[in-house]
Amino acid sequence: PFVAWYMNKKLERIIIVLGVIVFIIMILAPVRWRFLAIYSCAKLRTEYLFCDVGTYYYHGRGVPRDIKQARYWWERAAWNGDRRAERRMGGLLSHRTGCQTEAEKDPAFWGDIHVDYEKAFEWYAKAADKGDRHAQCRLGYFYGQGIGTKRDYFKSLCWYRRSAVQGITTAQYWVGHYY
């Protein structure tokens, strides 16, 4: 028992030291080094960094833009319960319906990732239930437009209100619109 406890404590210390090193790199280093630091920690099964690796791939920060890799890392994080990754999976599967950038309007941007509104709704709902304010706003949008679910203005307003209280201006607009 003592050896197992000691090894556990030693591993915890190593992870803390790695975290400090990554933090220093995140502040001082160029984008490519930041990505490599996060990627290295994610490979060590540091689950809370999976979502960040996916985000770097999605935006092409420090690495070539790769939607498939972004999806891979976001799915890993989402299955581990990361609400940011759940929201991003919802956005990925809905192709960010209603709030696309110019690059995202190009079908080539998405590659072979097809729109699946029902799955997107499920991912947004998981993230919203965990308190993600952006996912709550998107869920209000999905309910209001009937995307991936049956149209329900009451539920839409409820989700918009939850998001609006947390400072999301789009949700605040829609709450005013409903009243």
Side-chain angles (χ1 to χ4, degrees), residues 142-159:
F142 273 44
Y143 273 118
Q145 301 299 317
I147 299 173
T149 187
K150 188 177 174 185
R151 182 175 283 180
D152 187 336
Y153 291 117
F154 179 74
K155 286 184 180 176
S156 176
L157 178 60
C158 289
W159 284 111

Side-chain angles (χ1 to χ4, degrees), residues 60-79:
R61 293 185 191 143
V63 290
R65 177 178 273 171
D66 188 343
I67 301 299
K68 287 182 185 176
Q69 280 293 316
R71 181 180 185 166
Y72 167 77
W73 286 101
W74 284 342
E75 270 184 321
R76 284 184 71 180
W79 287 116

Side-chain angles (χ1 to χ4, degrees), residues 126-144:
K126 286 180 182 181
D129 286 338
K130 292 177 182 171
D132 188 290
R133 60 191 182 149
H134 299 287
Q136 291 170 347
C137 184
R138 298 299 296 154
L139 210 54
Y141 179 77
F142 273 44
Y143 273 118

Side-chain angles (χ1 to χ4, degrees), residues 14 17 37-38 44-45 48 53 74 76 87-88 123 140 142 146 151 156 166 172:
I14 290 171
V17 169
I38 289 175
L44 290 171
R45 305 232 184 258
Y48 61 88
V53 172
W74 284 342
R76 284 184 71 180
R87 173 175 33 99
R88 288 187 173 108
W123 283 117
F142 273 44
R151 182 175 283 180
S156 176
Q166 297 178 62
Q172 292 168 352

